[in-house]
Amino acid sequence: MQLTDEEEQIKEVIISARKLEEFLWGEYNGQWNIEEWRRMFRKRIQKIDDIDVNNPHAKIEMRKRLLQNAALSVALMKIIDDKGIPTNKCDIPSNLPQYAHKDK
């Protein structure tokens, strides 16, 4: 099956984002539990909400946050496929305590 130009670009973007995420955080990916992953997603959603669309660099900032979410998604999907949803106790202290779910 031949990919369209758009599909090829999507593939390249996802692979690049995933490589970057693995370079930055790969050694920790398997150690985080689902709550830490949720915190990472919450942080990036908040950062997207904070983007001022009138800022001349808004497009770049939006792309960065979307790529981060794509990379996080791919990493978590791999972990879920290999090990299931990570409900283990996480021994690594969170660097995102401000993004903990308020109801928990």
Short mmCIF file of all heavy atoms in Angstrom, two decimals, residues 73-95:
data_model
loop_
_atom_site.label_atom_id
_atom_site.label_comp_id
_atom_site.label_asym_id
_atom_site.label_seq_id
_atom_site.Cartn_x
_atom_site.Cartn_y
_atom_site.Cartn_z
N SER A 73 1.49 9.77 23.59
CA SER A 73 0.45 8.80 23.23
C SER A 73 1.07 7.51 22.70
O SER A 73 0.70 6.41 23.11
CB SER A 73 -0.49 9.38 22.18
OG SER A 73 -1.19 10.48 22.70
N VAL A 74 2.02 7.65 21.79
CA VAL A 74 2.65 6.47 21.20
C VAL A 74 3.40 5.68 22.28
O VAL A 74 3.32 4.45 22.34
CB VAL A 74 3.57 6.87 20.03
CG1 VAL A 74 4.39 5.68 19.55
CG2 VAL A 74 2.76 7.44 18.89
N ALA A 75 4.13 6.39 23.13
CA ALA A 75 4.87 5.70 24.19
C ALA A 75 3.94 4.94 25.13
O ALA A 75 4.19 3.78 25.47
CB ALA A 75 5.70 6.72 24.98
N LEU A 76 2.85 5.58 25.53
CA LEU A 76 1.91 4.93 26.45
C LEU A 76 1.19 3.77 25.77
O LEU A 76 0.96 2.72 26.39
CB LEU A 76 0.92 5.94 27.02
CG LEU A 76 -0.06 5.40 28.07
CD1 LEU A 76 0.65 4.70 29.22
CD2 LEU A 76 -0.94 6.52 28.59
N MET A 77 0.85 3.92 24.50
CA MET A 77 0.20 2.81 23.79
C MET A 77 1.12 1.59 23.74
O MET A 77 0.66 0.46 23.90
CB MET A 77 -0.22 3.24 22.38
CG MET A 77 -1.45 4.11 22.37
SD MET A 77 -2.13 4.42 20.73
CE MET A 77 -0.95 5.57 20.07
N LYS A 78 2.40 1.80 23.53
CA LYS A 78 3.36 0.68 23.50
C LYS A 78 3.40 0.00 24.86
O LYS A 78 3.38 -1.23 24.95
CB LYS A 78 4.74 1.19 23.11
CG LYS A 78 5.85 0.17 23.23
CD LYS A 78 6.26 -0.32 21.87
CE LYS A 78 7.46 -1.23 21.92
NZ LYS A 78 7.18 -2.58 22.35
N ILE A 79 3.46 0.78 25.92
CA ILE A 79 3.48 0.21 27.27
C ILE A 79 2.20 -0.56 27.54
O ILE A 79 2.23 -1.68 28.07
CB ILE A 79 3.70 1.32 28.32
CG1 ILE A 79 5.14 1.85 28.21
CG2 ILE A 79 3.41 0.81 29.74
CD1 ILE A 79 5.40 3.11 28.98
N ILE A 80 1.06 0.00 27.17
CA ILE A 80 -0.23 -0.68 27.38
C ILE A 80 -0.27 -1.99 26.59
O ILE A 80 -0.71 -3.01 27.11
CB ILE A 80 -1.40 0.25 27.00
CG1 ILE A 80 -1.52 1.38 28.03
CG2 ILE A 80 -2.71 -0.53 26.89
CD1 ILE A 80 -2.47 2.48 27.62
N ASP A 81 0.22 -1.96 25.35
CA ASP A 81 0.23 -3.18 24.54
C ASP A 81 1.15 -4.25 25.13
O ASP A 81 0.83 -5.43 25.11
CB ASP A 81 0.68 -2.88 23.10
CG ASP A 81 -0.38 -2.18 22.28
OD1 ASP A 81 -1.55 -2.11 22.74
OD2 ASP A 81 -0.04 -1.69 21.19
N ASP A 82 2.29 -3.83 25.67
CA ASP A 82 3.27 -4.77 26.21
C ASP A 82 2.94 -5.25 27.62
O ASP A 82 3.13 -6.42 27.94
CB ASP A 82 4.67 -4.16 26.24
CG ASP A 82 5.24 -3.94 24.85
OD1 ASP A 82 4.67 -4.48 23.87
OD2 ASP A 82 6.26 -3.22 24.73
N LYS A 83 2.46 -4.33 28.48
CA LYS A 83 2.32 -4.65 29.90
C LYS A 83 0.94 -4.36 30.48
O LYS A 83 0.69 -4.65 31.64
CB LYS A 83 3.33 -3.84 30.71
CG LYS A 83 4.77 -4.06 30.32
CD LYS A 83 5.69 -3.13 31.09
CE LYS A 83 7.11 -3.22 30.61
NZ LYS A 83 7.98 -2.27 31.29
N GLY A 84 0.06 -3.72 29.73
CA GLY A 84 -1.22 -3.28 30.26
C GLY A 84 -1.10 -1.87 30.83
O GLY A 84 -0.03 -1.27 30.83
N ILE A 85 -2.20 -1.37 31.33
CA ILE A 85 -2.21 -0.01 31.91
C ILE A 85 -1.34 -0.02 33.16
O ILE A 85 -1.54 -0.83 34.06
CB ILE A 85 -3.64 0.44 32.23
CG1 ILE A 85 -4.44 0.56 30.92
CG2 ILE A 85 -3.64 1.77 32.99
CD1 ILE A 85 -5.90 0.88 31.12
N PRO A 86 -0.36 0.87 33.22
CA PRO A 86 0.59 0.86 34.33
C PRO A 86 -0.01 1.39 35.64
O PRO A 86 -0.09 2.59 35.86
CB PRO A 86 1.74 1.74 33.84
CG PRO A 86 1.11 2.67 32.86
CD PRO A 86 -0.03 1.90 32.23
N THR A 87 -0.45 0.48 36.48
CA THR A 87 -1.05 0.86 37.77
C THR A 87 -0.08 0.64 38.92
O THR A 87 -0.46 0.80 40.08
CB THR A 87 -2.33 0.04 38.02
OG1 THR A 87 -2.01 -1.34 37.99
CG2 THR A 87 -3.40 0.36 36.98
N ASN A 88 1.15 0.31 38.60
CA ASN A 88 2.17 0.06 39.62
C ASN A 88 2.45 1.30 40.46
O ASN A 88 2.14 2.42 40.06
CB ASN A 88 3.47 -0.38 38.93
CG ASN A 88 3.95 0.65 37.91
OD1 ASN A 88 3.19 1.01 37.00
ND2 ASN A 88 5.15 1.12 38.03
N LYS A 89 3.04 1.08 41.62
CA LYS A 89 3.50 2.19 42.44
C LYS A 89 4.71 2.79 41.74
O LYS A 89 5.60 2.07 41.30
CB LYS A 89 3.88 1.70 43.83
CG LYS A 89 4.37 2.79 44.75
CD LYS A 89 4.72 2.23 46.12
CE LYS A 89 5.23 3.29 47.04
NZ LYS A 89 6.49 3.91 46.62
N CYS A 90 4.74 4.08 41.61
CA CYS A 90 5.85 4.75 40.94
C CYS A 90 6.82 5.28 41.99
O CYS A 90 6.45 6.10 42.84
CB CYS A 90 5.33 5.90 40.08
SG CYS A 90 6.60 6.68 39.09
N ASP A 91 8.05 4.79 41.96
CA ASP A 91 9.06 5.19 42.93
C ASP A 91 9.77 6.49 42.55
O ASP A 91 10.53 7.03 43.34
CB ASP A 91 10.09 4.08 43.12
CG ASP A 91 9.49 2.84 43.76
OD1 ASP A 91 8.58 2.99 44.61
OD2 ASP A 91 9.91 1.72 43.42
N ILE A 92 9.53 6.94 41.34
CA ILE A 92 10.15 8.19 40.89
C ILE A 92 9.26 9.34 41.34
O ILE A 92 8.07 9.38 41.01
CB ILE A 92 10.28 8.21 39.35
CG1 ILE A 92 11.12 7.03 38.87
CG2 ILE A 92 10.87 9.53 38.88
CD1 ILE A 92 11.09 6.84 37.37
N PRO A 93 9.81 10.29 42.08
CA PRO A 93 8.98 11.43 42.49
C PRO A 93 8.48 12.21 41.27
O PRO A 93 9.22 12.40 40.30
CB PRO A 93 9.94 12.29 43.31
CG PRO A 93 11.11 11.43 43.61
CD PRO A 93 11.17 10.38 42.56
N SER A 94 7.26 12.64 41.31
CA SER A 94 6.68 13.38 40.19
C SER A 94 7.29 14.77 40.12
O SER A 94 7.51 15.42 41.14
CB SER A 94 5.17 13.51 40.37
OG SER A 94 4.64 14.30 39.32
N ASN A 95 7.59 15.21 38.90
CA ASN A 95 7.99 16.61 38.74
C ASN A 95 6.80 17.44 38.28
O ASN A 95 6.95 18.59 37.89
CB ASN A 95 9.16 16.74 37.76
CG ASN A 95 8.80 16.40 36.33
OD1 ASN A 95 7.83 15.71 36.08
ND2 ASN A 95 9.60 16.87 35.40
#
